[in-house]
Amino acid sequence: EGKKPLENKNGGNSQRGMNEKWVKIEKKKIKARRTKNNLPSTSPSSSSISKRTNHNTNHTHQQFGATIHCVSEPETDSEAKANRILAESLPSSYHILHNFELCARAGEMAYEYDIVIVGTYCLFHVEVKGYKGCIRGDKFRWRFASNGHVFPSPIPLANKKSKIIASKLAKSDFGRRHKVPFVDTILLITDEKARIQIRWEDQLSRVLKLGSTSL
């Protein structure tokens, strides 16, 4: 109590900076993962992931950098904005799948996924949020200064959904041939003016603002 909240001040809109940022994140994560678990430097193809979701990819197109695989159309302006800017900014070797559902087990509730980025060495499960203003909180609750509303932190559920992806991959044909690549969670804020002040470093480190150029 009384501890000053940590604040994520990532900002900027440099395409080169966004590119370098994601590559840096991926290299940092895979280095730590390899050291601990001897993870091979392989990732499943985007087509194998779309098959595991039991959806047919409606259309695939190349936009500037990363390749987008549209399973369903974005449901919000924030999701559409995130898809567009990520496609423009990420390396051409990356693949973006967006707006699909997965169940942890057959017959259970389906979870909605905003974006999954298939990188060279690992995967990123990206939850897109159009949060505005200042948000303060801890590992359990986040308070929105604009209206005073308090909601559960979105990070634990996002982490659970990341684990479902890893589990699905482990049970897939790819998973039977290779070790499952690292699946990381990112909460992507699309409003560059938003301020995130969270009293928990592990959660704060997973929050990025769209267009940010540094970690």
Side-chain angles (χ1 to χ4, degrees), residues 128-195:
V128 179
K129 301 294 183 183
Y131 295 156
K132 299 181 182 297
C134 183
I135 300 140
R136 296 183 174 89
D138 54 30
K139 64 185 294 187
F140 302 110
R141 292 173 293 275
W142 288 16
R143 179 183 295 275
F144 294 75
S146 60
N147 53 26
H149 291 171
V150 177
F151 294 97
S153 166
I155 301 294
L157 177 58
N159 284 337
K160 179 179 180 180
K161 290 162 67 174
S162 296
K163 292 178 181 177
I164 291 174
I165 294 175
S167 175
K168 291 288 185 181
L169 287 172
K171 296 174 183 178
S172 69
D173 292 339
F174 174 88
R176 285 188 282 271
R177 297 193 304 269
H178 308 280
K179 286 187 178 180
V180 176
F182 184 78
V183 181
D184 199 14
T185 303
I186 291 175
L187 192 77
L188 188 64
I189 310 298
T190 56
D191 186 351
E192 294 180 15
K193 296 181 180 179
R195 295 177 60 199

Side-chain angles (χ1 to χ4, degrees), residues 31-203:
K31 181 179 180 181
R33 186 72 169 181
R34 279 180 181 169
T35 300
K36 184 176 181 180
N37 294 328
N38 192 29
L39 185 70
S41 58
T42 55
S43 290
S45 66
S46 57
S47 60
S48 69
I49 293 181
S50 59
K51 289 178 181 178
R52 289 297 98 195
T53 65
N54 294 320
H55 290 279
N56 291 322
T57 301
N58 295 326
H59 45 273
T60 300
H61 54 281
Q62 185 77 27
Q63 273 195 331
F64 301 99
T67 299
I68 294 181
H69 302 265
C70 175
V71 181
S72 297
E73 294 297 328
E75 296 183 354
T76 67
D77 291 341
S78 293
E79 291 176 8
K81 178 181 178 181
N83 279 316
R84 183 181 70 254
I85 295 181
L86 289 174
E88 294 172 353
S89 306
L90 294 176
S92 60
S93 59
Y94 281 39
H95 293 261
I96 297 173
L97 292 87
H98 66 85
N99 296 92
F100 60 92
E101 296 182 346
L102 281 178
C103 298
R105 285 177 287 274
E108 293 189 353
M109 177 187 71
Y111 291 96
E112 296 181 355
Y113 289 79
D114 297 333
I115 296 174
V116 167
I117 298 173
V118 182
T120 307
Y121 302 109
C122 59
L123 278 70
F124 300 100
H125 162 223
V126 182
E127 286 280 315
V128 179
K129 301 294 183 183
Y131 295 156
K132 299 181 182 297
C134 183
I135 300 140
R136 296 183 174 89
D138 54 30
K139 64 185 294 187
F140 302 110
R141 292 173 293 275
W142 288 16
R143 179 183 295 275
F144 294 75
S146 60
N147 53 26
H149 291 171
V150 177
F151 294 97
S153 166
I155 301 294
L157 177 58
N159 284 337
K160 179 179 180 180
K161 290 162 67 174
S162 296
K163 292 178 181 177
I164 291 174
I165 294 175
S167 175
K168 291 288 185 181
L169 287 172
K171 296 174 183 178
S172 69
D173 292 339
F174 174 88
R176 285 188 282 271
R177 297 193 304 269
H178 308 280
K179 286 187 178 180
V180 176
F182 184 78
V183 181
D184 199 14
T185 303
I186 291 175
L187 192 77
L188 188 64
I189 310 298
T190 56
D191 186 351
E192 294 180 15
K193 296 181 180 179
R195 295 177 60 199
I196 313 297
Q197 299 176 330
I198 305 300
R199 300 176 186 268
W200 195 258
E201 177 61 34
D202 181 63
Q203 289 200 5

Side-chain angles (χ1 to χ4, degrees), residues 8-21:
N8 188 320
K9 298 182 179 179
N10 291 337
N13 56 12
S14 164
Q15 178 172 323
R16 179 179 178 182
M18 176 71 86
N19 187 322
E20 293 176 348
K21 177 199 68 178

